């Protein structure tokens, strides 16, 4: 491997002892595409043939070992590998690895203060939970798939490419970031690619060709560039929970953020024994404090607590005051944050949980999920979530209604990539209006001067969507306290099976 150029690499899934088939295929590819610098194989390499069994026997007996290691080429390309499948038994068979192997490999690489990550990580098993925040995963049993130890290793080593196999599937996850936006310096992204077995009959992809310049040779600015479809790390929350468990720490909610929901069905949190936050430390970081009375900080006396539906660790769901419909709700941070741009990562994660739960609930009653945020002349983040009956209009109808009304008011409403992060597009402190549909489509308007405060409601109340134009202004939608309590009670009962905040 020569330095000063990008390397051509070919990665392969489970070979299962079919070496002739592998090399014939590689020769065929090289005739068309030129020579590759490396062929990397993950998963079940030897198979179960008699010949393979004899070659593998020394590893099974322990005479030869190959559990873990690091390979650094002349080019500076660094490849970390963890062989076999995880076992809890000691002494471990030579074709398995233990948590001790993971710790040793991780420590050997991270001992240097200059460590930024590895170029490639090879494991047989998938990392547990890699699909979180990613693209859809089909035909995989996520309960049995993957290793938590591999997930911790991937989180620590920050590989630019991570290959795995064993599941008989091809899954190319969207790239994910290795830093917390606005809280840490930008780092390179990671790409996880699972490959199928060579002999699969379904034509699933078992080879992956790519070019890579070693991390050590790359321009720092180029290295940390973030693609438009980058997502949050799938491992951060899991790793925090694991660390808490290992340390035996417990965390409780601050009592100022809690109040009981009277006559609430099912198990619920208490101020002394709520679900611990995976990100909470012994001295929790307090959110910014409002400069005056806030109608939405949960600790504030101004909050109309009879409207509250569900309370999580960092967020809560409440019926909207002057709601468009009886099941129009808000997702709100418990502490004082002005917009999504200012939310810490742990709050963002719980917002996503809220959104997913509401989507499932609305779908169960034949309605679509439409969410919007107006970060303009507001001091506390309010994510407005308005359900629209499926028979009422299509997603395209709703999208068109927003775009047409924006054009009529001479506003530019742009479509942004489905997996984009607002923090990458909008600078902190900027005013904006944002829409998210349950199809994953997103619309954004950068507010420069003036903006109609009721724009989101006006679009959804219009004849082309809900056809309730008289409810466009929330101040005109007055309900009695008794009506609001009935709406809240009905919503809680229907939402309960989907409410992630209820303990199992």
């Amino acid at each position: 491997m020569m330095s000063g150029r990008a390397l051509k690499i070919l990665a392969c899934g489970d070979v299962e002892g079919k070496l002739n088939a592998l090399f014939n295929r590689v020769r065929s590819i090289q005739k068309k595409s030129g020579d590759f610098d490396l062929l990397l194989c993950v998963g079940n390499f030897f198979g179960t043939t008699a010949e393979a069994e004899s070659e593998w026997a020394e590893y099974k007996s322990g005479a030869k070992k190959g559990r873990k290691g690091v390979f650094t080429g002349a080019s500076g390309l660094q490849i970390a590998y963890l062989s076999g499948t995880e076992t809890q038994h000691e002494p471990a068979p030579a074709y398995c690895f233990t948590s001790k192997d993971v710790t040793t490999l991780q420590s050997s690489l991270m001992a240097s203060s200059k460590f930024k990550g590895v170029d490639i990580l090879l494991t047989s098993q998938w990392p547990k939970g890699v699909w979180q925040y990613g693209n859809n995963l089909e035909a995989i049993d996520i309960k049995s798939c993957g290793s938590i130890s591999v997930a911790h290793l991937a989180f620590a080593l920050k590989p630019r490419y991570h290959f795995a196999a064993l599941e008989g599937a091809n899954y190319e996850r969207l790239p994910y970031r290795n830093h917390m936006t606005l809280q840490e310096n930008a780092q390179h992204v990671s790409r996880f690619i699972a490959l199928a077995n060579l002999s699969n009959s379904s034509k699933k992809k078992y080879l992956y060709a790519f070019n890579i310049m070693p991390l050590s040779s790359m321009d720092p600015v180029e290295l940390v560039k973030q693609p438009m479809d980058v997502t949050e790390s799938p491992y951060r929350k899991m790793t925090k929970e694991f660390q808490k468990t290992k340390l035996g720490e417990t965390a409780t909610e601050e009592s100022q953020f809690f109040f009981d929901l009277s006559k609430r069905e099912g198990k619920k949190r208490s101020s002394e024994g709520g679900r611990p936050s995976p990100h909470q430390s012994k001295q929790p970081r307090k959110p910014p404090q409002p400069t005056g009375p806030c109608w939405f900080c949960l600790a504030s006396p101004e909050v109309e607590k009879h409207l509250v539906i569900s309370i999580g660790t960092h967020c809560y769901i409440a019926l909207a005051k002057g709601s468009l419909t009886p099941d129009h709700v808000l997702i709100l941070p418990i502490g004082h944050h002005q917009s999504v741009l200012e939310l810490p990562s742990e709050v963002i994660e719980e917002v996503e949980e809220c959104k997913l739960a509401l989507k499932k609930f609305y779908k169960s009653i034949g309605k679509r999920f439409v969410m919007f945020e107006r970060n303009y002349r507001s001091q506390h983040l309010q994510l407005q979530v308005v359900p629209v009956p499926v028979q009422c209009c299509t997603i395209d109808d709703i999208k068109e209604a927003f775009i047409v009304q924006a054009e009529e008011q001479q506003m530019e409403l742009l479509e942004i990539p489905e997996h984009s992060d607002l923090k990458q597009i909008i600078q902190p402190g900027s005013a904006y209006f944002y829409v998210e549909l349950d199809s994953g489509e997103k619309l954004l308007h950068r507010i420069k001067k003036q903006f109609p405060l009721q724009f989101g409601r006006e679009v959804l109340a219009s004849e082309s969507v809900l056809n309730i134009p008289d409810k466009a202004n929330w101040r005109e939608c007055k309900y009695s306290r008794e009506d609001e309590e009935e709406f809240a009670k009905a919503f809680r009962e229907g939402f309960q099976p989907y409410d992630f905040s209820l303990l199992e």
Side-chain angles (χ1 to χ4, degrees):
M1 295 189 296
M2 302 298 291
S3 62
R5 65 174 177 87
L7 302 169
K8 287 179 64 179
I9 298 180
L10 198 59
C12 181
D14 308 272
V15 176
E16 297 177 331
K18 298 178 173 59
L19 301 184
N20 288 335
L22 171 63
F23 293 131
N24 287 339
R25 180 62 180 142
V26 170
R27 277 192 289 267
S28 174
I29 291 173
Q30 293 199 133
K31 282 182 181 179
K32 295 179 181 178
S33 306
D35 290 345
F36 283 78
D37 295 289
L38 281 174
L39 170 63
L40 306 174
C41 298
V42 289
N44 182 353
F45 184 76
F46 287 106
T48 55
T49 63
E51 184 179 354
E53 282 291 319
S54 63
E55 292 185 30
W56 191 227
E58 289 184 286
Y59 289 94
K60 285 191 171 183
S61 68
K64 291 183 179 179
K65 299 181 184 295
R67 291 184 189 169
K68 65 186 184 303
V70 180
F71 169 77
T72 305
S75 66
L77 187 79
Q78 195 170 52
I79 304 172
Y81 64 88
L82 184 68
S83 299
T85 55
E86 185 172 13
T87 181
Q88 306 299 322
H89 302 291
E90 289 284 4
Y95 50 89
C96 293
F97 68 86
T98 66
S99 58
K100 183 179 179 181
D101 292 313
V102 175
T103 302
T104 303
L105 176 58
Q106 180 178 323
S107 300
S108 66
L109 282 161
M110 298 181 69
S112 170
S113 60
K114 296 181 179 179
F115 179 77
K116 294 180 180 178
V118 297
D119 289 298
I120 299 171
L121 173 62
L122 306 176
T123 62
S124 290
Q125 284 182 288
W126 289 30
K128 192 76 174 176
V130 67
W131 45 84
Q132 294 184 67
Y133 311 122
N135 37 322
N136 290 337
L137 180 64
E138 298 179 359
I140 292 291
D141 181 2
I142 61 174
K143 290 184 178 179
S144 60
C145 174
S147 158
I148 291 179
S149 292
V150 172
H152 294 318
L153 183 66
F155 182 73
L157 298 190
K158 303 172 185 175
R160 294 165 65 201
Y161 285 87
H162 180 182
F163 293 95
L166 292 186
E167 298 294 333
N170 171 228
Y171 177 58
E172 297 181 22
R173 191 202 184 280
L174 291 170
Y176 61 88
R177 65 176 63 87
N178 286 296
H179 63 279
M180 290 190 289
T181 313
L182 300 181
Q183 297 182 52
E184 298 175 325
N185 292 332
Q187 299 181 45
H188 60 268
V189 301
S190 292
R191 290 173 168 84
F192 172 76
I193 295 133
L195 296 167
N197 50 319
L198 182 146
S199 59
N200 80 87
S201 58
S202 305
K203 296 185 178 180
K204 294 176 182 176
K205 189 173 180 179
Y206 63 88
L207 284 172
Y208 183 90
F210 65 108
N211 296 330
I212 184 171
M213 179 74 76
L215 184 152
S216 58
S217 302
M218 284 197 68
D219 176 80
V221 175
E222 288 295 316
L223 178 65
V224 302
K225 279 188 174 178
Q226 306 290 300
M228 288 297 289
D229 57 352
V230 69
T231 76
E232 294 294 328
S233 168
Y235 312 124
R236 189 175 301 278
K237 185 174 181 180
M238 182 192 308
T239 300
K240 293 290 185 181
E241 289 174 339
F242 177 75
Q243 289 171 347
K244 292 290 185 185
T245 302
K246 279 186 70 177
L247 294 172
E249 294 177 7
T250 59
T252 59
E253 297 173 314
E254 292 183 88
S255 59
Q256 64 169 324
F257 286 161
F258 179 82
F259 65 89
D260 198 0
L261 292 179
S262 60
K263 301 181 180 178
R264 183 171 175 182
E265 299 275 334
K267 298 179 182 177
K268 49 183 182 281
R269 305 175 186 211
S270 71
S271 56
E272 297 177 355
R275 178 170 67 104
S277 163
H279 294 271
Q280 212 166 4
S281 61
K282 291 180 180 178
Q283 293 182 332
R285 179 183 58 197
K286 293 184 179 180
Q289 298 303 303
T291 55
C294 180
W295 290 93
F296 301 105
C297 286
L298 194 52
S300 170
E302 283 80 14
V303 169
E304 297 196 47
K305 295 179 172 55
H306 67 285
L307 297 175
V308 174
I309 301 297
S310 169
I311 307 173
T313 305
H314 305 288
C315 302
Y316 71 102
I317 299 172
L319 284 181
K321 189 73 174 175
S323 59
L324 276 167
T325 64
D327 44 10
H328 167 190
V329 298
L330 306 177
I331 300 174
L332 305 130
I334 289 174
H336 191 74
H337 300 282
Q338 184 172 332
S339 73
V340 166
L341 299 182
E342 298 178 6
L343 294 182
S345 60
E346 63 269 22
V347 184
I348 290 175
E349 288 174 8
E350 195 163 288
V351 165
E352 292 300 319
E353 288 186 86
C354 291
K355 285 160 58 176
L356 182 60
L358 287 168
K359 283 180 184 180
K360 290 179 178 178
F361 167 58
Y362 289 138
K363 185 177 180 180
S364 73
I365 58 174
K367 296 186 178 183
R368 302 186 188 282
F369 171 103
V370 182
M371 187 193 79
F372 65 88
E373 177 197 358
R374 186 196 78 230
N375 183 33
Y376 174 74
R377 293 177 61 181
S378 59
Q379 64 164 332
H380 191 112
L381 168 63
Q382 304 161 51
L383 294 174
Q384 305 267 349
V385 186
V386 181
V388 177
V390 171
Q391 71 272 18
C392 180
C393 54
T394 66
I395 284 292
D396 287 340
D397 292 334
I398 298 171
K399 182 177 171 182
E400 184 180 6
F402 273 103
I403 293 173
V404 168
Q405 195 137 331
E407 288 175 350
E408 289 178 358
Q409 302 198 36
Q410 298 182 323
M411 298 189 311
E412 188 178 32
L413 195 58
L414 301 173
E415 188 164 0
I416 60 176
E418 180 179 341
H419 296 282
S420 62
D421 187 329
L422 277 182
K423 292 181 178 181
Q424 293 178 299
I425 301 172
I426 299 286
Q427 292 296 317
S430 301
Y432 62 86
F433 175 80
Y434 168 75
V435 183
E436 183 176 328
L437 306 176
D438 63 5
S439 60
E441 293 172 276
K442 300 175 180 179
L443 303 171
L444 175 70
H445 170 64
R446 300 171 188 266
I447 301 173
K448 297 176 181 177
K449 291 184 179 180
Q450 298 298 316
F451 183 79
L453 298 182
Q454 303 298 329
F455 178 75
R457 287 182 65 110
E458 288 170 358
V459 173
L460 293 173
S462 67
E463 293 180 2
S464 58
V465 186
L466 290 171
N467 194 21
I468 46 175
D470 57 318
K471 292 189 176 183
N473 190 322
W474 74 273
R475 296 182 186 278
E476 302 300 321
C477 302
K478 295 179 180 178
Y479 301 101
S480 68
R481 169 99 181 195
E482 291 73 21
D483 285 339
E484 290 175 339
E485 288 175 345
E486 283 300 315
F487 293 162
K489 180 182 178 182
F491 195 105
R492 284 191 207 108
E493 290 174 354
F495 183 60
Q496 185 176 329
Y498 308 91
D499 190 349
F500 72 90
S501 73
L502 295 178
L503 299 177
E504 296 179 356

